[in-house]
Amino acid sequence: MLLDEDPATLIHHTIGNFNIQPDKLALGRINESLSALQQARDLRIREAESALRKLSRNLNTLASHHSETVATHNAADHASQIVELDTQKFRIAKAASDLEIEGERLEQELEGLKGRLQELETQGLEGDEVVRERREMEDQTILKLKVYRSLGIDVECDSAGNYNKAVIRNNQKGDVHVVNIDPKFSRFFYANYFWQTL
């Protein structure tokens, strides 16, 4: 026999010489770490599964909404609505442009009227000298025409504004005389003629 001692005793003594306590502690720590990691992994898997179920429900809801929208969508109605809205947009734009142009025109007209008002306020109620003289001349002419009409004489003017014809009516005799007024005869001549005719 090779060994003097019993191999079991020898192995037993050899085992006694090994210090396996630190290894056992390390293995215990490793087991604890593995257990904690397994628990954390299980927790994360449960959270991921819960999030996946929630996302799956959302996906199903959105898919059903999408299906309903696609089923109820009519491309022809959509196109006609777009065309109608475009038409309304162009009408509104044109109306706004027209109103802007009209507003500018009215502003210019207002400025012109303000200038005219200021001019009239400067002239006063009677107007300027030229206007007053013209009014006085027109008043004299109108007064003369009224007198002539009351006597039965209607005076007609030509396109240039000159009085060149007189219509004399005599209601007592029932006569009507038309007299062409010629500048070569004097006013005295025509006055005498009118009085004789009346």
Side-chain angles (χ1 to χ4, degrees):
M1 185 165 168
L2 193 62
L3 298 173
D4 293 336
E5 295 183 27
D6 180 29
T9 306
L10 191 62
I11 289 174
H12 183 68
H13 287 298
T14 304
I15 289 174
N17 288 334
F18 284 113
N19 185 11
I20 61 169
Q21 190 61 31
D23 293 335
K24 286 165 104 183
L25 291 174
L27 287 174
R29 284 193 307 272
I30 289 172
N31 284 335
E32 287 176 6
S33 296
L34 285 175
S35 175
L37 284 174
Q38 185 64 36
Q39 289 176 358
R41 183 173 175 271
D42 291 343
L43 179 63
R44 289 187 68 185
I45 288 173
R46 282 194 301 274
E47 289 174 353
E49 287 174 349
S50 173
L52 181 62
R53 282 192 298 272
K54 185 176 178 182
L55 289 173
S56 178
R57 285 193 300 272
N58 286 343
L59 176 63
N60 291 335
T61 305
L62 291 174
S64 66
H65 282 302
H66 178 263
S67 300
E68 289 174 10
T69 304
V70 168
T72 58
H73 176 68
N74 189 344
D77 287 346
H78 181 70
S80 67
Q81 285 178 351
I82 296 262
V83 169
E84 183 179 345
L85 290 173
D86 280 345
T87 305
Q88 287 180 359
K89 178 179 73 173
F90 288 126
R91 272 195 214 124
I92 291 169
K94 185 180 183 315
S97 175
D98 291 346
L99 288 174
E100 187 176 341
I101 291 169
E102 182 67 13
E104 290 175 0
R105 185 190 68 77
L106 289 174
E107 282 180 7
Q108 291 174 352
E109 187 176 333
L110 177 64
E111 290 300 320
L113 290 173
K114 283 181 180 175
R116 179 71 179 135
L117 175 64
Q118 187 174 5
E119 181 183 325
L120 290 174
E121 285 176 350
T122 304
Q123 292 175 2
L125 292 176
E126 293 295 319
D128 62 0
E129 199 64 34
V130 175
V131 171
R132 265 183 270 147
E133 288 175 7
R134 188 182 322 135
R135 190 180 308 125
E136 288 172 5
M137 290 295 293
E138 288 174 356
D139 289 346
Q140 291 174 5
T141 306
I142 290 170
L143 184 59
K144 287 178 186 176
L145 289 173
K146 283 184 180 178
V147 170
Y148 289 149
R149 277 198 197 112
S150 68
L151 295 173
I153 302 170
D154 288 330
V155 182
E156 296 179 5
C157 62
D158 61 5
S159 59
N162 298 321
Y163 295 101
N164 60 358
K165 188 185 285 186
V167 178
I168 304 167
R169 291 180 181 82
N170 189 336
N171 292 333
Q172 294 173 352
K173 296 179 185 177
D175 288 341
V176 175
H177 295 281
V178 177
V179 179
N180 290 322
I181 299 173
D182 194 344
K184 67 182 179 181
F185 297 109
S186 68
R187 291 183 179 184
F188 180 72
F189 169 77
Y190 284 112
N192 283 336
Y193 181 76
F194 290 161
W195 281 115
Q196 288 172 5
T197 308
L198 290 172

